[in-house]
């Protein structure tokens, strides 16, 4: 049976978690590759907001370079967004003392 203190801690954690998730959804990160040739904006909850490609990056005879730049930017954007989410969400559960865990 859970005591009242534990129930309060869980309720507080749920409220903090919901607030943090909302903040992540409203936080955007900008990442670029190829010296700014490809720019990506992603939210803290891993939703891509935009992808911008500089006209100078588009060379019809070398599309593989553009593909590599887009792939590098997408991977970096996901990594940074996941790091931000982990950092913010990790702080929410840090003080919770759950028996047996």
């Amino acid at each position: 049976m859970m005591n009242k203190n534990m129930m309060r801690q869980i309720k507080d954690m749920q409220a903090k978690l919901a607030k943090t998730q909302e903040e992540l959804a409203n936080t955007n990160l900008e990442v670029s590759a190829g010296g700014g040739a490809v720019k990506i904006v992603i939210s803290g909850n891993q939703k891509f907001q935009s992808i911008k490609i500089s006209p100078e990056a588009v060379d019809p005879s070398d599309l593989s370079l553009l593909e590599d730049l887009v792939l590098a930017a997408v991977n970096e954007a996901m990594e940074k967004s996941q790091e931000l989410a982990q950092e913010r969400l990790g702080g929410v559960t840090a003080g919770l003392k759950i028996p047996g865990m």
Side-chain angles (χ1 to χ4, degrees), residues 23-95:
E23 289 171 354
L24 284 169
N26 293 321
T27 301
N28 288 331
L29 303 166
E30 184 175 304
V31 175
S32 66
V38 176
K39 293 181 183 177
I40 293 182
V41 176
I42 187 170
S43 70
N45 64 349
Q46 289 86 50
K47 302 285 185 207
F48 288 94
Q49 305 300 313
S50 67
I51 297 176
K52 303 285 183 194
I53 299 173
S54 170
E56 294 81 31
V58 182
D59 179 356
S61 66
D62 191 7
L63 287 179
S64 65
L65 174 62
L66 179 57
E67 292 167 346
D68 290 344
L69 291 174
V70 171
L71 185 59
V74 166
N75 284 331
E76 185 177 346
M78 282 298 291
E79 184 178 311
K80 289 200 180 294
S81 180
Q82 289 170 345
E83 287 172 2
L84 178 66
Q86 186 175 25
E87 175 186 307
R88 298 230 180 132
L89 293 172
V92 172
T93 58

